[in-house]
Amino acid sequence: MPPASQLTFFDDEVAAPYAVTGMMTVADPGAVDLQIIIDLDEESGSCYQLVARGATVELYEVVGQSHKPLGHPGTINWRTGQETSFTLRRDLWQIAFLYAGRVIVRGYDSELHGSRAGYLAQGCQLSESFVQVLGEMDMTDDFMRPPSERGPWEPVRGSWQLRGLRVDPLASRMEADKSANAFSYFAKGSDERALSIAGSWYWEGYLVEAAVRAVHGGAIGLVGYYQDEDNYVGVRWLPNGSALGSGELQVIEVVDGHERVLATAPGGYLHSQWYQMRMGVKAGLVCVWIDDQLRLTGKTTAFGQGKVGLLAEGNSGILFDDVVVRPWQVIWEDFAEDVPGKWNLLSGNWTISAPGAARVTSPSELIAVAGAQEWDDYRHQVQVSAASGAVGLVFGYHSPADYYLLRWAPSGSRVPYGGKAQIVHVVNGQPDVLAEAALGRAQAGQAAVTVQRGLVRGWLGGKCVVQTLEPELRGGAVGLYAEQASGASFASVYAQELPPPRTVHVVKEFADTGEHAEMAEWSSPAGIWVAPEERDAPEAQWQSKGVYFGGKEVRFTLHKVGSRTGTLRLTLDADPGSNVPGYTLSIAATSGSNTLTVALLAGERSLGQKSVEVAGKSCGVQFAHQGDYLIATIGDERIFCEKVE
Amino acid sequence: MAKSRVLPAVLLTLLLAGASAGQAVTLVFEGEHYTWIKPSMRKGTDDGASQKGYVEIPLQRPHGEQEGEPFDDGSVTFKINIPQNGKYWLWARTWWYDSCGNSFFVMVDDMSPEIPTYITSTKKRKWGWVRGRQYTLAAGYHVIRFQNREDGAKLDQFLLTTAPEKWEPKRAYSETAQYLWQPEK
């Protein structure tokens, strides 16, 4: 570690996530001696240190005299005499060094938070170096603009044009509010692959999705980690019977113009059918979803950051619409190799000996933690096998003194909770059992924990076996747990943020269909409701047209509290005309009073009643059925939280 | 509204090939600290804006649902003192209302350009930086104007920087008011 006096510091104070980047020129590869220091705490001297000596590149966490390796050393092919880009990324958990767009070394750590960055370069020259703040990565495009405005897209190859309104010579009017896809981006790649690119060079860990439709034939695709037209990864989808290849979904990697197929899944697309295509890239993992179904997974070792793009092949043309780019918080581990520093073993030991699995070797307790996620809703899953003892998942980890467990053990285990699955909050070493359920025989296979709007559920073999509500649970790392389970093995760890729930938005004008009464049934915001025959009748009831499965929540604002006397009843999970009355939140108001009488009913059976004082003239109301819980909130106050069958 | 963290006034360290080290120059100006203003451009306040202030072309009723001519030439103009010759990228921190309220005309020194330049992006209903053009500016005074192109557009800050094209601003930055000329009150 060089003394601070020898370092060239950047003026900016740094805080993850950020990247140090610039250009590098190497005359003699054998003479290179480069050190880049990031997250330096000037008082303690702790930092992350990248060391490039000759062709070897290594990454360390430096604390006091200790130099802890992060990741595996990398080998670099210096481009002698050429000014070449370099980047040292400091994401929230991942640290990666890239040269000429290629990942050379990648490590994982989130312990240090120093505020300085600098370097010492010998045997090479750095130029145009600066600190780039990362984060705030998002983009949407519905292509609603005149053709003269290109928007964020830069066509690289092929023909690209904005299309406004459907081209229909028989239509006497073309009105955007009558069309589901009035604007789109149309591509043709006649003799070559058409590419159009957007975003920033430093984007990493993102989902890019688009509505896609092939007019007739051709390849549809998305691009990520784009460096230039000869270097990127992507997804490519072909129809059955295509001249471009068999009907299948592909993850491809293009390096210096040479294309390689990393993974495939059978099944081509149907012509003239709209699909939602989504690709995620993070730390070399590439995942592909079609219409929300995970269809394909691949791994790339080439690139670690880059722009997004749209891909099209063929003469007929491909339509793209509703492009969305957003961060993708995901942790994945296939245990193909033991990456130093990736897993923090708080207690116990394991070996990654059999390719694709981590085997517990310690007889007592094992806790292994990874990640530094800022998510609220997520799913953490693993393939697990244990002949005896307890195994589990760690989640919501903030420190050794504060974390959660989903753990289970078969009957006859030596642990106190044999025969049970538990959700536990461990505080200062003391387990607080939040929920538990009886468990049959030993469970092997996939296990998962989901955290969604405070509802924590444990899943074994695809079945929810235990659940509880923890509204204060926020963020935290995830991990693996074993107790008295030497020989247990973990494989295929996958934790990802869950998307926000889809909403059906009802605006305040939902009852006003005066201008186009004939459209009321389908085109106005009231279209999702079946209106009562007499809207002003004392107990007029609006019912949703849709049938909603799984967890649901209704939110609205109650205005002018105290202005009139009346009762509002909001019912979930009802089936009119049958014997399923559902669950009802009844809110009774009295003229001249700010007090609401709120009742929760299962059918006509009362589950509780409370009085609520409303400050002001309006209040927000939320009524949700999540898992086994009914939750009602008025303003900021949770009124009911009842567990129901 | 997401919290915005104000970063210190920046002088980016820029190492040029060769013996001498240079520094990138970045000048930051608050939209509401203009030199001159012409209606319909007006000031506004928002927690998400730097120093909670911005300028805007107010939303018209009815708001344009199709692209068309601006209804007036409301504007804010800044007279600034560039400290050294250089090529400066312009970035503006803006808030767009919708696809028909997402641009400003930008004039630098030439207030009647033959081909008007404008800044725009597809990010709507949140504060974000938009890249403009790169301008070659000599040391000394220059005039920059943001003018009505579509109603519903807001300007929080803008900056001029000699940092490399790859550099992108994030969040809001501290103002470099010493480079802004203000008429004597």
Side-chain angles (χ1 to χ4, degrees), chain A residues 410-423:
Chain A
S411 300
S413 294
R414 285 173 290 173
V415 297
Y417 47 92
K420 295 178 186 171
Q422 294 182 329
I423 296 173

Side-chain angles (χ1 to χ4, degrees), chain A residues 10-12 21 119 126-133 135-136 138 140 144-146 149 152 200-202, chain B residues 5 11-18 23 67 99 118 120 122-124 126 149 164 166-168 170-171:
Chain A
F10 295 97
D11 284 339
D12 315 59
T21 190
Y119 62 88
L126 303 192
S127 60
E128 296 188 5
S129 305
F130 61 92
V131 173
Q132 173 64 56
V133 175
E136 291 187 24
D138 67 277
T140 60
M144 285 182 64
R145 55 181 173 274
E149 281 188 34
S200 296
W201 59 270
Y202 52 83
Chain B
R5 220 179 78 203
L11 284 177
L12 301 177
T13 301
L14 177 77
L15 267 271
L16 304 174
Q23 286 184 331
E67 300 290 332
S99 302
Y118 61 91
T120 184
T122 57
K123 187 177 288 190
K124 303 176 192 80
K126 55 166 54 174
R149 187 173 183 270
K166 278 174 63 173
W167 180 80
E168 296 182 7
K170 293 287 185 187
R171 307 187 185 100

Side-chain angles (χ1 to χ4, degrees), chain A residues 23-29 31-35 52 78 86 119-127:
Chain A
M23 305 299 286
M24 187 184 300
T25 307
V26 170
D28 175 7
V32 170
D33 186 351
L34 170 69
Q35 296 182 60
W78 299 110
F86 75 90
Y119 62 88
L120 173 62
Q122 295 173 323
C124 58
Q125 281 188 318
L126 303 192
S127 60

Side-chain angles (χ1 to χ4, degrees), chain B residues 6-155:
Chain B
V6 176
L7 297 179
V10 286
L11 284 177
L12 301 177
T13 301
L14 177 77
L15 267 271
L16 304 174
S20 63
Q23 286 184 331
V25 173
T26 299
L27 313 175
V28 182
F29 303 98
E30 289 286 331
E32 68 275 19
H33 297 167
Y34 47 82
T35 307
W36 301 285
I37 190 168
K38 179 177 181 182
S40 58
M41 190 75 81
R42 68 179 186 189
K43 290 163 92 164
T45 59
D46 182 82
D47 286 346
S50 168
Q51 300 187 33
K52 299 190 178 182
Y54 63 87
V55 289
E56 66 169 348
I57 296 294
L59 206 58
Q60 297 296 298
R61 294 291 181 192
H63 174 58
E65 293 180 358
Q66 298 178 28
E67 300 290 332
E69 293 294 314
F71 61 90
D72 71 18
D73 60 354
S75 66
V76 276
T77 305
F78 303 82
K79 183 174 176 179
I80 62 175
N81 188 5
I82 298 292
Q84 66 186 50
N85 300 346
K87 292 187 177 181
Y88 290 80
W89 283 103
L90 180 139
W91 287 86
R93 191 166 190 259
T94 60
W95 187 100
W96 307 130
Y97 181 74
D98 62 8
S99 302
C100 294
N102 64 335
S103 65
F104 283 114
F105 284 119
V106 179
M107 293 89 148
V108 177
D109 293 332
D110 180 1
M111 296 296 112
S112 300
E114 206 169 311
I115 303 172
T117 302
Y118 61 91
I119 53 171
T120 184
S121 71
T122 57
K123 187 177 288 190
K124 303 176 192 80
R125 307 287 177 102
K126 55 166 54 174
W127 291 106
W129 288 97
V130 178
R131 184 194 294 270
R133 277 182 45 200
Q134 187 181 41
Y135 299 90
T136 300
L137 300 174
Y141 285 101
H142 297 268
V143 178
I144 298 177
R145 173 174 294 166
F146 293 83
Q147 183 170 303
N148 179 17
R149 187 173 183 270
E150 291 175 310
D151 59 300
K154 301 179 184 182
L155 173 71

Side-chain angles (χ1 to χ4, degrees), chain A residues 33 50 70 76 100 133 153 171 210 275 299 303 315 325 360 392 399 443 461-462 465 480 506 514 530 545 547 551 636:
Chain A
D33 186 351
L50 179 96
L70 301 176
I76 195 165
V133 175
W153 300 97
Y275 296 91
K299 271 171 64 174
F303 310 112
N315 279 322
V325 179
V360 178
S399 74
Q443 298 285 331
V465 297
L480 303 169
V506 180
V530 176
K545 286 180 181 174
V547 177
D636 295 329

Side-chain angles (χ1 to χ4, degrees), chain A residues 188-443:
Chain A
K188 272 190 182 181
S190 302
D191 299 323
E192 57 181 358
R193 176 176 292 163
L195 294 172
S196 190
I197 304 302
S200 296
W201 59 270
Y202 52 83
W203 281 4
E204 144 74 340
Y206 54 81
L207 295 165
V208 50
E209 67 183 48
V212 299
R213 172 174 166 249
V215 175
H216 188 81
I220 309 173
L222 300 172
V223 167
Y225 283 164
Y226 178 88
Q227 314 296 309
D228 54 52
E229 60 185 286
D230 293 324
N231 293 278
Y232 54 88
V233 301
V235 53
R236 182 172 179 256
W237 198 14
L238 299 162
N240 294 326
S242 167
L244 298 171
S246 57
E248 64 179 12
L249 193 62
Q250 302 172 337
V251 171
I252 60 172
E253 175 190 84
V254 180
V255 177
D256 294 331
H258 301 291
E259 182 165 313
R260 196 160 68 102
V261 177
L262 302 178
T264 61
Y269 65 77
L270 297 175
H271 300 298
S272 299
Q273 173 75 37
W274 280 100
Y275 296 91
Q276 187 200 49
M277 176 180 274
R278 184 187 308 132
M279 180 177 73
V281 292
K282 178 143 186 172
L285 174 70
V286 183
C287 289
V288 181
W289 293 261
I290 301 292
D291 290 346
D292 277 341
Q293 297 298 310
L294 178 64
R295 292 290 316 280
L296 191 55
T297 299
K299 271 171 64 174
T300 175
T301 56
F303 310 112
Q305 62 187 16
K307 298 183 178 183
V308 300
L310 308 173
L311 176 159
E313 297 174 25
N315 279 322
S316 302
I318 309 291
L319 289 162
F320 297 89
D321 199 359
D322 293 326
V323 175
V324 176
V325 179
R326 53 189 167 88
W328 186 34
Q329 295 214 58
V330 65
I331 295 169
W332 68 283
E333 174 64 82
D334 60 6
F335 293 114
E337 55 178 354
D338 187 1
V339 179
K342 187 171 184 182
W343 287 92
N344 187 6
L345 280 173
L346 301 176
S347 61
N349 267 305
W350 65 17
T351 58
I352 301 173
S353 54
R359 190 170 301 276
V360 178
T361 56
S362 48
S364 53
E365 186 183 65
L366 174 132
I367 300 177
V369 174
Q373 305 305 314
E374 295 183 331
W375 48 26
D376 288 331
D377 294 349
Y378 56 92
R379 177 185 173 92
H380 170 35
Q381 68 185 48
V382 66
Q383 288 289 128
V384 60
S385 172
S388 62
V391 287
L393 296 165
V394 179
F395 63 99
Y397 177 91
H398 293 282
S399 74
D402 181 14
Y403 60 92
Y404 291 78
L405 288 175
L406 166 69
R407 64 183 184 186
W408 62 96
S411 300
S413 294
R414 285 173 290 173
V415 297
Y417 47 92
K420 295 178 186 171
Q422 294 182 329
I423 296 173
V424 176
H425 186 192
V426 181
V427 178
N428 295 322
Q430 299 303 311
D432 177 18
V433 179
L434 303 177
E436 67 178 16
L439 188 65
R441 54 189 170 78
Q443 298 285 331

